């Protein structure tokens, strides 16, 4: 079935001498993986290697057979040209980190318009605003709303965060509870949007501890989740 759809690139890897395998999240069909034949050697084709950098926003004409095999793309064009996302080193490190997270967590092969719009608008915000070192933490928290495991902040006045249940509570009955300054800082991310991040000041140590708490939460709630390899680079740049 020939489909025209917007798509966000999660990853692309070289396959053979001239091909790429690209994983994209599409508006119409969710996650799709494409075999792009000859793209690394073609200079005049309708597909360009630069289109398939992480988190690129595209409009594609694709052949979706929906048989569990690699799909194909006939045409592609950039639907939203980034100004800074792939050229500023701090932003590009966030891009690699989030792209790795997304490929690891989003598996649905069906349309999810709300999730797609969240991804589009989030990356456009990151592109058009100054580098915000807490962006990825708020992004990961907001993403859990679409992954079905958003923590319940209704008792955020309690000091313990139960990572297994995703709730705040008065006491620490099990091993999965944490308390301390990093939990207090984690609470500060609830109920805010990206425009409010400039008011949320954290030291590099505080930021690292909150991020590790969020990644531990992902590990507990998402089967097969592993900490991204790009985390080390991200921490080094922001530190």
């Amino acid at each position: 079935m020939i489909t025209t759809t917007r798509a966000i690139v999660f990853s692309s890897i070289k396959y053979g001498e001239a091909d790429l395998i690209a994983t994209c999240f599409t508006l119409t069909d969710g996650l799709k993986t494409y075999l792009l034949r000859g793209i690394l050697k073609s200079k005049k084709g309708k597909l360009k290697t630069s289109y398939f950098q992480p988190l690129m926003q595209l409009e594609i004409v694709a052949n979706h057979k929906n048989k569990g095999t690699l799909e194909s793309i006939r045409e592609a064009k950039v639907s939203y040209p980034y100004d800074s996302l792939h050229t500023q080193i701090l932003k590009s490190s966030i891009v690699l980190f989030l792209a790795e997270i997304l490929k690891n967590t989003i598996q649905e092969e069906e349309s999810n318009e709300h999730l797609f719009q969240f991804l589009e608008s989030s990356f456009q915000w990151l592109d058009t605003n100054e580098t915000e070192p807490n962006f990825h933490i708020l992004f990961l928290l907001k993403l859990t709303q679409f992954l079905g495991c958003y923590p319940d902040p209704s008792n955020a006045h309690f000091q313990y965060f139960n990572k297994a249940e995703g709730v705040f509570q008065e006491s620490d009955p099990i091993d999965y509870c944490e308390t301390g300054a990093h939990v207090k800082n984690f609470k500060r991310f609830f109920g805010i949007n990206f425009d409010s991040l400039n008011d949320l000041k954290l030291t590099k140590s505080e930021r690292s501890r909150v991020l590790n708490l969020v990644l531990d939460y992902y590990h507990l709630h998402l089967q097969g989740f592993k900490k991204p390899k790009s985390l080390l680079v991200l921490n080094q740049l922001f530190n």
Side-chain angles (χ1 to χ4, degrees):
M1 179 179 180
I2 304 301
T3 302
T4 300
T5 180
R6 300 204 304 275
I8 299 173
V9 180
F10 284 177
S11 70
S12 62
I13 58 173
K14 185 178 179 181
Y15 181 73
E17 291 298 317
D19 304 339
L20 280 181
I21 294 178
T23 300
C24 303
F25 188 66
T26 68
L27 176 60
T28 57
D29 296 277
L31 195 69
K32 287 291 181 182
T33 303
Y34 301 96
L35 177 60
L36 310 176
R37 293 190 180 278
I39 190 173
L40 298 178
K41 291 187 177 181
S42 174
K43 296 182 179 180
K44 298 182 180 180
K46 295 181 179 180
L47 304 180
K48 301 182 184 299
T49 307
S50 59
Y51 291 172
F52 296 92
Q53 298 178 74
L55 304 189
M56 285 291 287
Q57 298 186 22
L58 307 175
E59 182 176 299
I60 62 174
V61 178
N63 186 7
H64 289 170
K65 296 180 179 180
N66 299 317
K67 294 182 178 180
T69 57
L70 295 176
E71 312 284 18
S72 60
I73 295 178
R74 295 188 173 190
E75 300 177 26
K77 63 180 180 180
V78 176
S79 63
Y80 180 89
Y82 293 127
D83 288 326
S84 62
L85 218 60
H86 293 111
T87 55
Q88 294 185 11
I89 184 64
L90 290 178
K91 288 187 179 182
S92 63
S93 66
I94 293 175
V95 164
L96 292 176
F97 174 76
L98 294 182
E100 194 175 351
I101 290 278
L102 291 170
K103 188 179 180 184
N104 197 2
T105 57
I106 297 177
Q107 304 296 330
E108 56 188 302
E109 296 184 9
E110 57 186 28
S111 178
N112 187 331
E113 184 176 353
H114 293 299
L115 172 56
F116 190 91
Q117 291 175 344
F118 165 71
L119 297 178
E120 268 192 335
S121 61
S122 297
F123 303 143
Q124 290 174 18
W125 187 95
L126 181 61
D127 180 60
T128 56
N129 287 269
E130 293 297 320
T131 303
E132 172 49 62
N134 296 317
F135 173 88
H136 52 295
I137 297 177
L138 182 57
F139 177 90
L140 292 180
L141 178 60
K142 289 182 175 294
L143 181 62
T144 60
Q145 297 180 70
F146 302 96
L147 300 176
C149 57
Y150 187 71
D152 180 2
S154 58
N155 290 318
H157 55 284
F158 293 145
Q159 64 173 316
Y160 291 96
F161 178 59
N162 184 328
K163 294 184 294 184
E165 300 295 331
V167 298
F168 294 92
Q169 55 194 49
E170 285 186 283
S171 58
D172 178 15
I174 61 172
D175 293 336
Y176 291 115
C177 284
E178 291 195 28
T179 188
H182 65 302
V183 173
K184 290 181 180 180
N185 286 324
F186 175 52
K187 295 176 184 179
R188 298 168 64 190
F189 285 88
F190 287 89
I192 67 172
N193 55 33
F194 293 123
D195 289 330
S196 303
L197 282 174
N198 190 50
D199 300 324
L200 205 166
K201 305 298 183 183
L202 297 177
T203 67
K204 61 183 181 182
S205 176
E206 290 171 337
R207 182 180 306 111
S208 179
R209 292 200 67 194
V210 174
L211 178 57
N212 283 330
L213 176 63
V214 174
L215 293 177
D216 286 345
Y217 184 76
Y218 267 62
H219 178 72
L220 285 172
H221 290 267
L222 300 172
Q223 185 176 5
F225 179 81
K226 297 179 181 178
K227 286 189 177 181
K229 296 177 181 178
S230 53
L231 176 61
L232 178 61
V233 175
L234 186 72
N235 286 336
Q236 288 176 338
L237 286 171
F238 278 118
N239 287 349

